[in-house]
């Protein structure tokens, strides 16, 4: 009786459990369906945001292009183009590389390019004078650089540092902001179908506006002085470009067939300088670098790195990656020898670092990882690591033996330059955000950030450690060079440390400082500028010792020989040059 009575009860309970289970299963299916629907909606939202972001980037590019067009239009209405400027209207030779501001176009400030690219550009080639130039006038550009043109009007007496017309048949453009505008698609590389003709020329700078340039990309001309003879030497401080050669006694100037140097009359002359070799190229020379033993110098230009024998000036290697597409330009922005001289590292526009075996002339490693153009490389003294800086806002450290990326440092803006300290402990980098950062390669931490009130007022384009490893120099678009002292190793440091201090600011260039270095003995700071000049500075006093005018366009790269007494320069005039400097006694200046 008991068993028969409990059996229906058990069945009812099981039925209730079954109903509840079915109910919960239905709810679970409903929740799963809702979750799937919401995930689908989130994916639609994400795609919409991405589309909006792409649309915003396109609108910004169109806006920048329109602003550039309006600037050119304003330039055109400022005055008629001269006959010399009209002569540049036709294409002369392949245009220089497109290196613009922004994360994918950091160095448009160095070279003039297509319409819509901003930033400081290559200096315009000097115009040919109709009359026979005096002995202290520079020789004209070779035919490959300067197109034939009707003789222009006679140039008036030297008026100081002047603004020039557009370069190489390409119109001068207004600059983009020095800060990166944000991610953007890189424009197609220059080729024959995209090269344009000349636009309106930039008006000449007025004498009553010595610091204003209507177009910062058009480099003011540093013409050879041709005023009536004077006997007094003006006090120009470190602005040696303002010196007139005819006012200087013989021992305060040095002249070659197509170059000259002036020595600061306000300080004792301590150096002499002379041209050793001229190394012709078929395109802009973006970088120069000596081997550690000083026997070879490497250059980077369009599509290839080249190596020259320093003693003879002969080309000994031409390194070009045959696997790369032959269409368009591919500029080598940085070159660097390994300490043992067996390898040469190159960084280029295609975001690749190639390590060449110089004996076999083959590629040993190709390092990929950067997302934008590579602008700077440096080998550690051990030869184990390479540091690289890119417009993708990162500094990367690569292990050459392992063939891999071992450290990545990210910052807020494009990286233009990197340097490894002599002991290999630190990596310094300059950026578009006006700062110099220093990382500890062991901990991966930022140990120093050099900026603020004592820092640069514009993008930093070059950094170099002093031989002592404690100091470094930086060059900037603010036309200055700064000498920094890092805190002792024992001093506490951490992210964002401000223990470093600016020891000295060197002011004297008339335009953007594009490259800086120190001689191996630490006795001199070298700087190359868009004003076409190279200056030697005394780091102890801050005085300029000399200014060398040896190129017809921006001096993009300077490099001293590690063995001393030689330095190299690379320029937008499609030449690299090797120079000799020697110390002289100022007690007998007439002997030099």
């Amino acid at each position: 009786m008991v068993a028969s009575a409990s059996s229906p009860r058990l069945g009812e309970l099981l039925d209730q459990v079954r109903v509840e289970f079915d109910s919960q299963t239905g709810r679970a299916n409903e929740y799963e369906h809702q979750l799937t629907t919401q995930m689908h909606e989130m994916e639609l939202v994400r795609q919409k945001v991405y589309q909006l972001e792409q649309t915003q980037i396109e609108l910004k590019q169109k806006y920048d292009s329109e602003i550039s067009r309006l600037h050119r239009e304003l330039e055109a209405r400022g005055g008629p183009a001269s006959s010399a400027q009209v002569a540049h209207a036709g294409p002369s030779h392949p245009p220089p590389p497109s290196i613009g501001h922004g994360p994918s176009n950091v160095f448009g400030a160095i070279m003039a390019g297509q319409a819509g690219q901003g930033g400081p550009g290559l200096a315009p080639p000097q115009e040919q004078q109709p009359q026979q130039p005096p002995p202290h006038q520079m020789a004209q550009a070779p035919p490959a650089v300067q197109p034939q043109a009707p003789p222009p009007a006679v140039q008036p007496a030297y008026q100081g540092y002047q603004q020039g017309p557009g370069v190489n048949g390409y119109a001068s453009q207004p600059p983009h902001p020095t800060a990166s505008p944000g991610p953007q698609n890189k424009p197609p590389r220059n080729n024959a179908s995209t090269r344009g003709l000349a636009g309106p020329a930039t008006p000449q700078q007025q004498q009553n506006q010595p610091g204003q340039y209507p177009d910062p990309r058009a480099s003011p001309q540093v013409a050879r002085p041709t005023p009536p003879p004077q006997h007094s030497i003006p006090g120009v401080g470190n602005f040696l470009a303002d010196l007139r050669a005819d006012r200087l006694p013989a021992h305060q100037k040095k002249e070659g067939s197509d170059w000259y140097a002036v020595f600061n009359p306000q300080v004792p002359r301590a150096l002499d300088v002379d041209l050793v070799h001229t190394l012709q190229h078929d395109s802009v020379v973006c970088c120069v670098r000596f081997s550690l033993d000083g026997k070879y110098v490497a250059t980077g230009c369009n599509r290839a790195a080249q190596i020259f024998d320093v003693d003879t000036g002969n080309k000994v290697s031409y390194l070009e990656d045959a696997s790369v597409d032959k269409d368009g330009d591919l500029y080598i922005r940085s070159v660097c020898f390994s300490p043992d001289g067996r390898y040469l590292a190159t960084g280029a526009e295609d975001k690749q670092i190639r390590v060449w075996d110089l004996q076999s002339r083959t590629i040993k490693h190709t390092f990929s990882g950067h997302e934008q153009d590579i602008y700077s490389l440096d080998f550690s003294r051990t030869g184990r690591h390479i540091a690289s800086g890119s417009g993708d806002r990162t500094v990367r450290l690569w292990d050459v033996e392992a063939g891999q990326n071992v450290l990545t440092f990210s910052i807020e803006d494009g990286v233009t330059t990197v340097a490894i300290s002599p002991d290999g402990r630190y990596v310094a980098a300059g950026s578009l955000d006006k700062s110099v950062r220093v990382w500890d390669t062991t901990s991966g931490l930022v140990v120093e950030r050099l900026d603020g009130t004592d820092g640069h007022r514009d993008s930093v384009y070059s950094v170099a450690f002093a031989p002592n490893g404690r100091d470094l120099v930086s060059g900037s678009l603010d036309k200055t060079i700064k000498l920094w002292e890092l805190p002792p190793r024992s001093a506490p440091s951490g992210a964002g440390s401000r223990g470093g201090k600016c020891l000295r600011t060197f002011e004297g260039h008339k335009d953007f400082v594009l490259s800086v270095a120190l001689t191996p003995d630490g006795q001199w700071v070298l700087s190359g500028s868009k004003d076409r000049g190279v200056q030697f500075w005394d780091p102890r006093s801050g005085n300029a010792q000399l200014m060398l005018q040896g190129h017809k366009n921006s001096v993009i790269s300077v490099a001293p020989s590690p063995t001393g007494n030689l330095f190299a320069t690379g320029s937008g005039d499609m030449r690299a040059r090797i120079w000799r400097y020697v110390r002289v006694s100022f007690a007998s200046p007439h002997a030099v």
Side-chain angles (χ1 to χ4, degrees), residues 449-576:
R449 179 166 177 169
L450 307 172
D451 55 11
T453 56
D454 292 333
H456 286 291
R457 301 184 303 278
D458 209 334
S459 303
V460 178
Y461 265 38
S462 184
V463 295
F465 275 97
N468 61 22
R470 299 188 312 272
D471 305 330
L472 60 84
V473 291
S474 57
S476 167
L477 297 190
D478 66 7
K479 310 176 189 177
T480 70
I481 302 106
K482 289 183 180 286
L483 176 65
W484 305 87
E485 182 183 57
L486 301 179
R489 290 186 181 183
S490 57
S493 61
S497 170
R498 294 295 197 277
K501 60 181 179 180
C502 179
L503 297 178
R504 192 158 285 108
T505 298
F506 307 89
E507 296 184 78
H509 277 295
K510 291 285 192 174
D511 218 319
F512 307 107
V513 177
L514 303 177
S515 184
V516 294
L518 290 106
T519 56
D521 57 6
Q523 296 298 302
W524 302 101
V525 174
L526 285 74
S527 57
S529 169
K530 183 171 163 270
D531 65 14
R532 304 177 183 154
V534 175
Q535 295 200 182
F536 272 66
W537 307 81
D538 185 336
R540 295 163 294 278
S541 66
N543 292 324
Q545 168 69 200
L546 68 88
M547 181 205 65
L548 170 67
Q549 283 284 332
H551 288 282
K552 298 177 179 64
N553 223 313
S554 303
V555 178
I556 302 170
S557 181
V558 296
S561 170
T563 58
N565 296 113
L566 294 175
F567 67 98
T569 54
S571 170
D573 65 4
M574 303 195 294
R575 295 187 299 180

Side-chain angles (χ1 to χ4, degrees), residues 281 285-291 296-308 317 319 331-338 343-348 352-356 358 374-379 386-387 418 557-559 568 570 576:
H281 291 69
V285 180
C286 299
C287 50
V288 291
R289 201 73 170 264
F290 281 91
S291 59
Y296 301 99
V297 65
T299 64
C301 54
N302 190 18
R303 310 196 68 85
Q306 302 181 48
I307 301 177
F308 297 84
S317 288
L319 306 174
Y331 277 82
I332 308 300
R333 306 287 177 73
S334 184
V335 293
C336 186
F337 284 96
S338 63
Y343 305 113
L344 182 77
T346 65
Q352 306 293 316
I353 300 169
R354 294 171 177 83
V355 181
W356 293 83
L358 296 182
I374 296 164
Y375 299 118
S376 184
L377 298 174
D378 198 18
F379 251 108
I386 296 174
V418 295
S557 181
V558 296

Side-chain angles (χ1 to χ4, degrees), residues 85-425:
Q85 293 162 348
V86 172
H88 286 290
S92 53
H93 58 80
S98 163
I99 314 180
H101 283 303
S104 65
N105 250 349
V106 178
F107 273 4
I110 295 182
M111 302 176 215
Q114 299 293 98
Q117 294 168 356
L122 291 175
Q126 288 183 312
E127 300 297 340
Q128 195 167 12
Q129 298 295 327
Q131 71 273 16
Q132 181 68 25
H136 58 267
Q137 258 191 318
M138 290 178 65
Q140 301 305 311
V145 179
Q146 182 170 330
Q148 295 298 320
V154 177
Q155 184 174 342
Y158 177 67
Q159 300 296 324
Y161 189 68
Q162 297 178 342
Q163 181 100 359
V167 58
N168 300 333
Y170 296 84
S172 301
Q173 305 296 332
H176 286 234
T178 53
S180 295
Q184 56 182 305
N185 295 325
K186 185 173 180 176
R189 301 195 190 282
N190 296 336
N191 54 47
S193 63
T194 60
R195 292 169 191 159
L197 299 180
T202 304
Q204 295 293 312
Q205 177 184 342
Q206 300 299 318
Q207 280 186 293
N208 59 352
Q209 296 174 321
Q212 300 179 7
Y213 304 120
D215 179 2
R217 258 184 54 174
S219 176
Q221 298 181 17
V222 184
R224 283 295 190 164
T226 56
Q230 301 289 335
H231 300 289
S232 61
I233 299 177
V236 298
N238 289 329
F239 290 89
L240 303 186
D242 290 338
L243 288 173
R244 298 181 176 181
D246 64 324
R247 293 186 176 184
L248 297 175
H251 68 276
Q252 287 182 337
K253 59 187 175 183
K254 182 76 176 282
E255 296 170 324
S257 60
D258 64 348
W259 64 271
Y260 74 103
V262 294
F263 300 86
N264 192 342
Q266 297 175 315
V267 300
R269 179 174 171 183
L271 292 176
D272 189 25
V273 65
D274 212 342
L275 177 63
V276 180
H277 296 298
T278 297
L279 313 175
Q280 287 292 153
H281 291 69
D282 295 327
S283 64
V284 170
V285 180
C286 299
C287 50
V288 291
R289 201 73 170 264
F290 281 91
S291 59
L292 187 61
D293 60 10
K295 294 181 179 179
Y296 301 99
V297 65
T299 64
C301 54
N302 190 18
R303 310 196 68 85
Q306 302 181 48
I307 301 177
F308 297 84
D309 185 292
V310 170
D311 287 337
T312 65
N314 294 331
K315 186 188 302 181
V316 296
S317 288
Y318 184 89
L319 306 174
E320 180 178 1
D321 188 348
S323 66
V324 175
D325 186 358
K326 300 297 183 184
D327 293 334
D329 295 330
L330 179 63
Y331 277 82
I332 308 300
R333 306 287 177 73
S334 184
V335 293
C336 186
F337 284 96
S338 63
D340 59 11
R342 295 173 57 198
Y343 305 113
L344 182 77
T346 65
E349 293 180 327
D350 63 358
K351 313 167 191 176
Q352 306 293 316
I353 300 169
R354 294 171 177 83
V355 181
W356 293 83
D357 185 309
L358 296 182
Q359 184 174 5
S360 64
R361 301 185 185 180
T362 58
I363 297 175
K364 175 181 175 64
H365 291 299
T366 299
F367 294 138
S368 302
H370 279 297
E371 298 175 0
Q372 297 294 346
D373 300 2
I374 296 164
Y375 299 118
S376 184
L377 298 174
D378 198 18
F379 251 108
S380 66
R381 291 291 177 90
T382 64
R384 178 69 182 266
H385 296 104
I386 296 174
S388 59
S390 167
D392 65 6
R393 310 179 185 186
T394 66
V395 175
R396 294 173 184 256
L397 202 64
W398 308 84
D399 188 313
V400 177
E401 294 182 11
Q404 63 184 13
N405 181 200
V406 292
L407 277 176
T408 299
F409 311 119
S410 297
I411 64 171
E412 294 82 11
D413 217 330
V415 178
T416 57
T417 173
V418 295
I420 300 179
S421 63
D423 62 4
R425 178 169 179 177

